[in-house]
Amino acid sequence: MTKIYLASSNFKPFHADWIKRAKTALTDNPTVDIVHNPWDHQYKNVSFDDTTGLFGSLEWQLKTYQNDKNAMGSSDIGVYLIDVDEQDEGLNMELGFMTALHKPNILIFLSHSDTLDKEFHVNLMIAQAGTYFIHDDIEALRDYDFSCVPSNLVEDMGDQFKVI
């Protein structure tokens, strides 16, 4: 049974679209059994528009961190929707955590502008933490073999990608 931890930002409307598309592609993939997206499992169902004061509180921070840590620990593979236009430190932490647990990481580089059409530098720590890299194609998750977990290089995404 393969459980996926689907990590992503969710601060803009297009992030929600990316998440929805990724969940659909992963659900359609016969080598995936469970998709865990932390945004679907918020502590006490709190959201950004919370009026109770719980969102952002120390209680919420501690429990959200613990819940996400538990989900990563029980997952087999991490899938990351990386918004290259707006880096998310939390996503990078999740990538580092899964790497420390020796879990494979599938990184999808996405942009809502033309950032990926020109030379793009990938930090060496991100490049080395990744097992497989996908350039702007969420639907590729539908056909990826999560039971064998093939690997590739950042440079396999195209000549514009440079590791620094």
Side-chain angles (χ1 to χ4, degrees):
M1 180 166 2
T2 303
K3 180 179 177 182
I4 304 296
Y5 183 85
L6 178 60
S8 63
S9 299
N10 195 14
F11 307 115
K12 305 277 172 98
F14 57 84
H15 291 151
D17 177 61
W18 292 349
I19 293 166
K20 181 179 178 183
R21 290 170 42 211
K23 285 169 39 177
T24 298
L26 289 165
T27 301
D28 290 347
N29 185 316
T31 64
V32 173
D33 296 298
I34 299 170
V35 178
H36 177 92
N37 179 251
W39 297 105
D40 293 338
H41 303 279
Q42 289 294 299
Y43 176 68
K44 293 188 176 179
N45 295 315
V46 172
S47 63
F48 294 119
D49 57 357
D50 171 59
T51 58
T52 67
L54 185 58
F55 180 80
S57 69
L58 182 59
E59 174 188 356
W60 175 84
Q61 292 173 42
L62 293 170
K63 294 305 179 184
T64 297
Y65 177 75
Q66 187 64 53
N67 291 344
D68 290 356
K69 222 171 59 166
N70 291 344
M72 286 184 279
S74 67
S75 293
D76 301 299
I77 299 171
V79 171
Y80 304 83
L81 307 179
I82 300 175
D83 182 346
V84 300
D85 299 309
E86 300 180 37
Q87 290 294 314
D88 180 344
E89 294 87 358
L91 191 79
N92 290 337
M93 183 277 175
E94 291 167 316
L95 176 60
F97 188 84
M98 291 286 278
T99 299
L101 293 174
H102 306 284
K103 309 266 181 153
N105 296 303
I106 313 307
L107 281 60
I108 305 174
F109 291 91
L110 300 162
S111 174
H112 57 274
S113 66
D114 66 348
T115 303
L116 294 174
D117 296 334
K118 48 194 168 204
E119 187 169 299
F120 182 76
H121 295 142
V122 179
N123 180 283
L124 74 93
M125 301 302 276
I126 302 298
Q128 296 308 312
T131 304
Y132 193 83
F133 303 90
I134 299 172
H135 173 199
D136 204 29
D137 184 11
I138 293 172
E139 283 67 31
L141 293 169
R142 186 173 281 110
D143 299 316
Y144 182 81
D145 188 348
F146 287 95
S147 60
C148 291
V149 195
S151 62
N152 68 355
L153 300 170
V154 167
E155 293 83 359
D156 290 337
M157 291 190 296
D159 293 336
Q160 74 271 31
F161 289 89
K162 309 289 184 209
V163 176
I164 56 168

